[in-house]
Amino acid sequence: MIEGKAIITISTRVTDYCRRRFSIAHELGHLEIHRHGSGLVLCTETDIDNWCPPGEDTTVEQEANAFAAALLLPEQFFATLCQQGDPSLDLIAELADQFQVSLTATALRYVRFSREPCAIVYSHEGYIKWFRASRDFEDLGLFVNVRSPLHPSSFASFVAKKDLTRATPERVEASAWLAPGQYRSDATVKEQSWAMPGYNAVITLLWADDVEGDDWW
Ligand SMILES: [Zn+2]
């Protein structure tokens, strides 16, 4: 929300250190990108939690979040760290600690720089809200079933029921996550899902390391 004069106001409910840092960077994004707006930057946590990836209906909040992520996770230092080791939420959590940024913000930035076919998926109250994929994932023509309920075969549906916050990766059938497309009928993906109980949400990393082959749909 933007209105009034140029004053930065951070929600008093934002007490977590990482969130406060991100909120400040987010407001700086408004000042930098939306300087021709009416001025006062007064964003709620809901505004800042609008992580839905940019698209045709990109909002000023998403633009400010993208600015904040680029500021706090600078490509110069962050990109090469995303290209070491296998994709996992454990690796993303390590990077989040290192850069003092939330897991979700770090995960979104991670898939931007990863050279593996992977995607980050955010589910809320049992429904897939959005996903963002790496370039290699998109190049395989893969899409996640957004706006669908979590598939019973997905590990995320189990994690959500049990509120598991640090589960290990599991291999699941690709069709539990991916819209019908160009992958083998017996394709599998590696899935790591962690519950985010405070948000009634689950964050999932998908690694499509076993989808290619001769048996195309
Ligand atoms: Zn904002």
Side-chain angles (χ1 to χ4, degrees), residues 152-205:
S153 300
S154 70
F155 193 58
S157 67
F158 176 76
V159 160
K161 286 184 195 130
K162 301 288 183 186
D163 263 355
L164 294 178
T165 54
R166 286 272 170 167
T168 53
E170 299 283 332
R171 188 164 289 286
V172 298
E173 57 194 61
S175 57
W177 284 101
L178 304 179
Q182 296 182 324
Y183 54 87
R184 292 190 336 267
S185 55
D186 62 346
T188 63
V189 294
K190 228 172 190 180
E191 169 194 348
Q192 190 171 22
S193 291
W194 289 356
M196 304 170 82
Y199 298 88
N200 205 9
V202 176
I203 189 166
T204 298
L205 177 78

Side-chain angles (χ1 to χ4, degrees), residues 11-83:
S11 166
T12 53
R13 291 176 56 219
V14 179
T15 52
D16 173 75
Y17 177 68
C18 293
R19 286 180 66 85
R20 271 185 287 149
R21 289 180 83 232
F22 197 87
S23 294
I24 293 165
H26 173 103
E27 305 304 2
L28 290 173
H30 281 311
L31 291 175
E32 178 65 23
I33 305 167
H34 310 125
R35 60 178 69 180
H36 301 302
S38 46
L40 171 63
V41 180
L42 182 64
C43 295
T44 65
E45 287 179 62
T46 305
D47 291 332
I48 296 169
D49 283 339
N50 183 357
W51 284 112
C52 189
E56 288 178 7
D57 55 350
T58 298
T59 67
V60 291
E61 301 309 331
Q62 291 160 358
E63 289 175 348
N65 278 345
F67 178 94
L71 184 68
L72 297 174
L73 299 159
E75 180 175 356
Q76 182 183 1
F77 305 113
F78 186 71
T80 52
L81 299 175
C82 298
Q83 292 153 12

